[in-house]
Amino acid sequence: MTADTRWLDEDEQRTWRAFLTAQRLLFDRLERQLQRDAGLPHAYYEILVRLSEAPDRTLRMSQLADSSLSSRSRLSHAVARLEAAGWVRRRACAEDRRGAFAELTPDGMAKLEESAPGHVEAVRADLFDALDRDQQRVLRDISDTLIAHLSDTAAWPVESDTRADAG
Amino acid sequence: MTADTRWLDEDEQRTWRAFLTAQRLLFDRLERQLQRDAGLPHAYYEILVRLSEAPDRTLRMSQLADSSLSSRSRLSHAVARLEAAGWVRRRACAEDRRGAFAELTPDGMAKLEESAPGHVEAVRADLFDALDRDQQRVLRDISDTLIAHLSDTAAWPVESDTRADAG
DNA sequence: CCTATATAGTTGAACTCTAAGCTGTTGAGA
DNA sequence: TCTCAACAGCTTAGAGTTCAACTATATAGG
């Protein structure tokens, strides 16, 4: 593959590096805010959020993994820790005995309600306060475009797509 | 603090979640591409890139940390591994004996040249191929805005900034 | 000169993440 | 019914990151 690399031109290079830098500065910051104020990584916070929005504050592990963009493995570890903290409880699944439910406990809900204001404030201060309405609109547009693109596209080049010509 | 939380409205909420999702899909993917094809985390790849662009392919550890958006600690660990692999070499600093230089070795340069095409192709396929010229332009604009904003703003609320009014 | 403080970089422990493999369950087809 | 692939979730091992503490050197003030 990659007989001829489609290198980035000057302009694309700058765009890419700017995006990379902005993204890192922003998410490092939010990560640290949550870790400092709530003692939680953002991935764990998001698990609590998704559970809080689910019917009965309960989701199957797989659904929770999908909705929080976690791998199965990562979710297992995460829920183990959240369960030890008393914020989430695992329940057996009657219909499918392989399965398991994760349920947000009242303590978990309290934890979330206590952590949310600081986090939301950080998102607003670090992201929204910097962007005007137009920029926000396009950011959403770009994000939606990317989500569609990345959901459609296989994560890595499919073997059978290896052609002789550079197409 | 946060007497009154400035919650996100419906629209902002959607924008934020879309951005979060897009960003995660994209960077998880690039991370995996590099790990799979080059056996390197993106952070390590970036260290090689920065060194490759420096005069004499050499930088002080601190400069390298700053330019690659790494913490000092992370960089120490990273360079230790890169050095063990033979891709980077540490050199003493004569002017400031606390300091150290990191230098990209020929092997390191070769490693980078071997890894770059696949990575660049992934960036193009996953990001640029999805966005039209206008979106690319605004993405750069937004990124630059964010970088300026986040560089100006203290990472966390300064104590002395706690005022009685919501000002 | 001497002390205090700041800076450069490293280290170790605790934690998170990923990848691979494992257990047990389900469901389709022979 | 039996078999076997697919699936749900967990576990293990190894690697990366962070935080706090530490070493060593540099610099400023008295």
Side-chain angles (χ1 to χ4, degrees), chain A residues 10 19 23 26 30 49-50 71-72 80 104-105 124 126 134 149 155 166:
Chain A
E10 187 82 9
F19 179 39
Q23 177 268 339
L26 177 62
L30 295 176
V49 170
R50 299 303 171 179
S71 70
R72 308 305 163 91
L104 189 65
T105 64
R124 179 171 291 291
D126 292 342
D134 247 33
H149 179 67

Side-chain angles (χ1 to χ4, degrees), chain B residues 7 16 27 43 67 69 74-75 95 98 116 131 137 159 167:
Chain B
W7 297 101
W16 168 238
F27 288 95
S67 68
L69 299 179
R74 177 203 217 154
L75 184 67
E95 310 94 68
R98 294 168 301 180
L131 304 179
R137 193 179 41 69
E159 282 306 327

Side-chain angles (χ1 to χ4, degrees), chain B residues 32 60-62 73 76-77 90 98 100:
Chain B
R32 234 165 258 158
R60 282 289 291 273
M61 290 295 281
S62 306
S73 172
S76 269
H77 289 295
R90 265 185 252 243
R98 294 168 301 180

Side-chain angles (χ1 to χ4, degrees), chain A residues 121-139:
Chain A
E121 183 58 38
V123 171
R124 179 171 291 291
D126 292 342
L127 179 65
F128 287 99
D129 280 354
L131 304 180
D132 61 37
R133 275 286 162 197
D134 247 33
Q135 288 174 316
Q136 292 178 27
R137 193 179 43 69
V138 181
L139 178 60

Side-chain angles (χ1 to χ4, degrees), chain A residues 138-151:
Chain A
V138 181
L139 178 60
R140 165 118 151 246
D141 177 57
I142 290 174
S143 300
D144 287 339
T145 302
L146 276 179
I147 293 169
H149 179 67
L150 295 173
S151 308

Side-chain angles (χ1 to χ4, degrees), chain A residues 1-116:
Chain A
M1 59 172 276
T2 58
D4 281 304
T5 304
R6 299 182 296 154
W7 296 102
L8 303 184
D9 65 32
E10 187 82 9
D11 227 50
E12 291 165 331
Q13 181 89 237
R14 278 193 224 278
T15 298
W16 169 237
R17 295 208 177 183
F19 179 39
L20 194 53
T21 300
Q23 177 268 339
R24 274 245 235 146
L25 289 176
L26 177 62
F27 287 95
D28 280 6
R29 229 158 135 138
L30 295 176
E31 190 70 43
R32 233 165 257 158
Q33 179 275 322
L34 267 176
Q35 191 64 55
R36 172 172 50 85
D37 296 344
L40 285 178
H42 186 265
Y44 288 30
Y45 176 84
E46 216 174 325
I47 288 171
L48 298 185
V49 170
R50 299 303 171 179
L51 282 178
S52 76
E53 293 170 343
D56 298 321
R57 293 176 184 164
T58 299
L59 281 175
R60 282 288 291 272
M61 290 294 280
S62 306
Q63 294 176 48
L64 183 52
D66 291 345
S67 68
S68 63
L69 299 180
S70 258
S71 70
R72 308 305 163 91
S73 174
R74 176 202 217 154
L75 184 66
S76 269
H77 289 296
V79 167
R81 167 139 124 60
L82 293 173
E83 191 169 30
W87 297 325
V88 167
R89 179 169 47 214
R90 265 185 253 242
R91 312 178 67 109
C93 175
E95 310 92 66
D96 185 339
R97 272 184 304 182
R98 293 169 303 181
F101 289 110
E103 178 188 358
L104 189 65
T105 64
D107 273 9
M109 192 65 200
K111 174 69 183 172
L112 182 56
E113 284 172 343
E114 167 200 317
S115 314

